[in-house]
Amino acid sequence: MEIDDVSNVQSWMELLNRQKAVLQAASKRKSEDPSNRKPLRQLVHEFMSSYTSTKEMMASRNQHLIHQSFVPPPYQPSIAPLVELEKVPLKDLRLETHHRGSYVLLRTATPGLMMTAVMVVMEDENGSGVVFQLYQQRDDEYRTAEQVLPQKTVWIVKEPYFKVMNDGGYGIRVDHISDLVQLSDGDERIPEIWRPRISELEQGAIALKDDGNNALKAGKMYEAVSRYTKGLNQAQEAEQRRLIQLNRSLANLRLGAYDQALEDAGYSRNASDNSEKGFYRAARSLYELGRFDESNDTYSSLLARFPHSAEAPKELTRTKSRLREAKHGDYNFEAMYEAAEKTPPNIDCATYLGPIAVKASEGRDRGFFTTKDVVAGELLLCEKAFAYCWAETGGSTAGSKSSLLINTSTNRMTMGTQASLITDVVQKIRRVPSVMPDVTSLFCGGYQAVQEAQVDGLPVIDTFLIERIICLNCFGCPRTSSKSHSEKAGKSKDETKGNAFHTSGLFINASYINHSCYSNVRRSFIGDMMIVRATRNIPADTEITFWYSAPEPKSSYTRTQEKLSNWGFQCACSICKDKKATRKQTVTKRNGLLRDLKDAIGARGGLDLAKAERLLAALEKTYSVPASEVPRLALWDPYLLLTRACSANQEPEKVIQTAWKVLASLGFIIVRKNPSSSRSPFHVEQWGLMEDYVVEAWVHLWVAYAQLAPELCEKAQSCARIAYKICVGEDWTFDRVYGGMAQKAIAKEKDPVESLQELSI
């Protein structure tokens, strides 16, 4: 939704077809035992020869390359317990085969090289070698992706996929990170020749704890967790175990492994023997898990027992702010905007779920429905992203690199951070298994997922399921909707680019909102927070909808449905039904009149107002259904251009007349006591389709009424404020963006059209 879909770009289509040809050629070698496997020494030599040059090339050309990520034909993760798998040597692997029922035991023979996957050379205990690719890895604060597979570490690859590589060689590809299991140093499954020296295994619990502490102080969190875990295996006394677990809790907290951090903290609501550190780390873990009620209670218990705790009061205050947001939708938008100026724009806020609930939706599986009557502008949802990938811009290194994500099975290609988003979701589930049902319950388009959630005590993570979910549920996100709204100000619809953003996010609750071109809610963004407000008055027990792809005036019924085909449904809203029912002759006539209207508006000698009005009157006659039922998408933009022209010519009467037509074209029903009078009181009986430019129409009315009917200014200003709140998510910035501009126009210090053009620069 609002992502950069490049599936129909010719150059990328050619790349897709080339990759499909490569896959097809490889598939013909299925089950083949290749006779030209390279020996381990040659594989290591070739890998290390290219290692340095590849890293230098990537460092020098990185900013100028469009990175490409191919989604291969999907296959299921291993769901077999290890005890049911049979060990096989590398020499027994066959090409283009998933070796179900088997595993290979391997040791890393080279350092890792991060490209689209982490690549290493691995060896088995018989001295055979293989190129190995591990996908869904990214750098984090404490470890680069290349350090995920350290040299001389031992791994089990469950049900390995042996394939033809892009360079014509052979290798093992791992897409599901749960298919790879690292063996600890003392594991008896490690062959004798690979086992560490006895002295390395004889460290006691205290020494291992000290090693963990040193690693923690040095910022080596993964090493700290490893040493603490080994220490726990050695510890005999309960107090010793408790201290090691508390320390491991801190390391896991920093790594984002909040489930384990909470368990290590010894969290129990009623525990009387919790230490200050245990309370604090449990409360922090609960906060990060979004369990703010429990976090609040735990901080309160901490302060009751340890009233002089230094950090707890500040954290308790922060937690209470999250509770206000979650329970009442009470947000500090000023603070949110301040946070959104940072890169990446991650906002420390809670999710608010307003008067809506998920229910069965006829023909759509599930959807959100109102639980009470709501009014236009009312906050229905304000959601913190489950995962969010900011797209690097300019020289920034604080985000994810935009890449071309190519799915060879669905023929879909997108430009942006979707590939990074897949990785982030996979890694978050690995770190915090308790969140997995939140993600896997989302719409996946009929993908046949495995039923097992855990095997051998570890989560089963299906990368291809996550990819399908991201493809169907992720949102393109501006830094702020306020900024993208301002960029459109003073321009025509044709002058503004389509809303396609490279930054992307997954929002669990918002993913349950279904599509309609004639939507009744609208989404907006402040950083990684999505805000959803009602665009009109909505009765209780009504499904809420927003558009996945914004309705376009010149888009035919067929083209509209094609743009929605990714989600596997056909839109049956009133706009689409009208498009489908409109005769071709009418469409041809309408398009001809629109071309003439464009010429009249853009005439070399200036706007031919009389001709434009005649053409608009003729266009109105090409519609048979009232605009209050089906918005007339082709008319509101030219009416707005006329409004601007009348404003520039200081004709407030005509400004009011044309601005009302802008709103009427979008489906608004404005009831006026005397429709023929520009000074007549009015009220909004029905709000219409919420385009960004609705705000401008109300601002023009506000300014015009200041000259003709000052008593109506406040009403027009209020409507402008509501429309702005719907479009950008809040009205805290309304006075700064539009208020001053309107006041200058009212004082005749500056024309509003000129101010709007300045706003967009």
Side-chain angles (χ1 to χ4, degrees), residues 30 85 97 128 143 145 227 260 267 283 285 509 522 598 697 726 730 740:
K30 182 175 174 62
L85 300 179
T97 300
S128 298
R143 180 175 70 184
R227 305 308 285 179
Q260 189 61 55
Y267 169 67
S285 300
N509 288 295
R522 177 165 166 157
K598 185 176 181 180
I726 293 168
E730 47 73 34

Side-chain angles (χ1 to χ4, degrees), residues 179-227:
D179 288 352
L180 187 65
V181 180
Q182 184 176 7
L183 300 186
S184 60
D185 290 344
D187 196 298
E188 58 187 27
R189 289 169 295 186
I190 297 178
E192 187 72 34
I193 56 172
W194 290 348
R195 290 183 185 177
R197 296 187 300 272
I198 297 296
S199 59
E200 295 177 6
L201 299 176
E202 289 180 340
Q203 279 186 291
I206 295 175
L208 288 164
K209 177 173 75 72
D210 291 341
D211 284 351
N213 292 346
N214 292 332
L216 189 73
K217 290 175 184 176
K220 299 177 180 179
M221 297 302 139
Y222 290 96
E223 182 180 337
V225 168
S226 174
R227 305 308 285 179

